[in-house]
């Protein structure tokens, strides 16, 4: 990662301080310091085990009861249920409290922004949440915990209690369309912002990554904070290759000695 205190960080601090309609797009990289691995970073789930991606394909999930059984078995161990927010999440809460955060769009499913204290109305979870389950037939939603209790009680593939349909975590799998209303909110925010921060995302998953294009088209400066290069680096106003938990508090002016470090 780059050197702390580079010119880009200093200029970005001024950009953040001067903006009034900031949109932040976060990805898995903001939660790695909470112990949740990303997908494509050096220690990413898929970097280490490319076959794991199969579990996340809607088509396989629907077609194959064994895939569902495996998904439910591994779900209980998902680090999102025990992880706590880190200083990156905290910094975005502080930014919101300045009244200048238009929206916090996240690709993450871990709920850590809300646990850190971000206003749930500001958080747009474009890839859903692992804390709920949804019926693929009637769209009824219940808590993940209640589904996991049924799995613990012996149901290998718990069905919807309303209609008997297939239940799945309320996350967007590959091959599954994003919820239209949620995507629309994200698109509107990206098109209306006066500063767009992309934090901890490889910007390779669409339509999420395309939100950067919308901000650019709207004339907003775009700052990418990510350890590794992204396809949008050339278009960005600034690219900061720093550890998110360290750089984000500095960008929003909340870096304090003794503050949460990870
Ligand atoms: P990604 O795995 O494709 O990319 C994450 C990026 O973050 C990488 O480029 C990596 O270099 C960078 N990064 C990791 N830790 C960092 C740190 N501490 N400081 C700076 N940079 C860091 O993630 P993505 O773009 O969000 O796409 C992955 C998809 O997987 C998303 O749809 C998301 O829903 C899902 N996912 C979510 C979680 C979660 O909820 N925490 C975890 C894994 C995957």
């Amino acid at each position: 990662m780059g050197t702390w205190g580079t010119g880009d960080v200093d200029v970005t601090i001024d950009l953040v301080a001067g903006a009034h309609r900031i949109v932040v797009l976060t990805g898995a990289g903001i939660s790695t310091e909470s112990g949740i691995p990303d997908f494509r970073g050096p220690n990413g789930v898929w970097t280490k085990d490319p076959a794991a991606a199969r579990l996340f394909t809607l088509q396989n999930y629907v077609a194959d009861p064994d895939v569902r059984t495996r998904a439910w078995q591994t779900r209980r161990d998902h680090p999102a249920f025990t992880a706590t927010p880190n200083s990156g999440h905290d910094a975005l809460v502080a930014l919101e409290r300045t009244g200048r955060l238009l929206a916090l769009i996240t690709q993450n499913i871990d709920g850590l922004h809300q646990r850190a204290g971000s206003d749930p109305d500001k958080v747009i979870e474009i890839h859903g949440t692992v804390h709920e389950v949804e019926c693929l037939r009637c769209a009824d939603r219940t808590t993940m915990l209640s589904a996991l209790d049924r799995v613990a009680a012996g149901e290998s593939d718990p069905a919807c209690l309303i209609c008997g349909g297939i239940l799945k975590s309320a996350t967007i799998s590959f091959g599954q369309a994003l919820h239209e209303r949620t995507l629309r909110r994200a698109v509107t925010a990206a098109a209306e912002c006066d500063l767009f921060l992309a934090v901890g995302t490889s910007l390779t998953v669409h339509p999420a990554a395309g939100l950067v294009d919308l901000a650019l088209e709207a004339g907003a400066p775009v700052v990418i904070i990510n350890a590794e290069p992204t396809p949008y680096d050339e278009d960005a106003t600034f690219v900061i290759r720093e550890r998110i938990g360290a750089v984000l508090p500095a960008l929003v002016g909340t870096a304090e000695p003794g503050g949460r470090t990870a």
Side-chain angles (χ1 to χ4, degrees):
M1 287 191 218
T3 314
W4 175 254
T6 56
D8 284 0
V9 175
D10 294 338
V11 181
T12 307
I13 289 172
D14 293 341
L15 262 185
V16 172
H20 293 92
R21 296 187 314 280
I22 302 172
V23 166
V24 182
L25 170 68
T26 62
I30 197 171
S31 293
T32 57
E33 291 171 62
S34 292
I36 304 179
D38 58 17
F39 280 166
R40 299 178 188 82
N43 294 312
V45 176
W46 296 345
T47 312
K48 288 179 166 171
D49 177 13
R54 198 178 126 77
L55 269 187
F56 294 83
T57 308
L58 180 67
Q59 199 188 12
N60 289 332
Y61 189 89
V62 171
D64 188 345
D66 289 342
V67 168
R68 296 202 290 277
T69 299
R70 248 188 85 195
W72 288 117
Q73 280 164 357
T74 54
R75 205 39 104 185
R76 189 172 277 281
D77 300 327
H78 196 287
F81 299 120
T82 49
T84 52
N86 65 60
S87 53
H89 300 100
D90 291 346
L92 296 179
V93 177
L95 179 63
E96 179 190 315
R97 291 192 180 145
T98 69
R100 298 176 300 113
L101 181 72
L102 186 61
L104 172 47
I105 306 168
T106 186
Q107 298 167 83
N108 295 343
I109 53 153
D110 55 33
L112 286 185
H113 288 303
Q114 295 92 326
R115 278 195 69 185
S118 288
D119 178 353
D121 289 342
K122 290 270 184 199
V123 180
I124 305 174
E125 294 176 306
I126 46 177
H127 291 166
T129 174
V130 77
H131 296 288
E132 292 183 4
V133 296
E134 188 172 78
C135 174
L136 294 178
R137 188 192 292 159
C138 75
D140 184 58
R141 279 207 178 205
T142 44
T143 66
M144 174 60 80
L145 278 182
S146 61
L148 288 180
D149 283 347
R150 292 172 60 193
V151 175
E155 290 182 64
S156 61
D157 179 20
C160 175
L161 293 172
I162 308 276
C163 76
I166 293 173
L167 283 186
K168 189 178 86 61
S169 74
T171 54
I172 304 295
S173 304
F174 281 109
Q176 186 171 12
L178 274 65
H179 288 283
E180 207 175 300
R181 191 178 155 272
T182 310
L183 181 60
R184 227 181 5 246
R185 281 182 67 205
V187 163
T188 303
E192 288 179 353
C193 72
D194 65 356
L195 175 63
F196 189 97
L197 304 179
V199 181
T201 166
S202 61
L203 295 175
T204 52
V205 179
H206 282 265
L211 296 169
V212 177
D213 293 306
L214 296 178
L216 288 167
E217 281 161 24
V222 169
V223 177
I224 294 175
I225 304 159
N226 202 60
E228 294 174 292
T230 82
Y232 283 91
D233 287 2
E234 297 221 331
D235 301 319
T237 315
F238 294 113
V239 177
I240 300 175
R241 297 240 168 85
E242 299 280 353
R243 187 171 65 79
I244 293 161
V247 80
L248 214 45
L251 287 187
V252 307
T254 57
E256 286 171 25
R260 194 145 63 180
T261 53

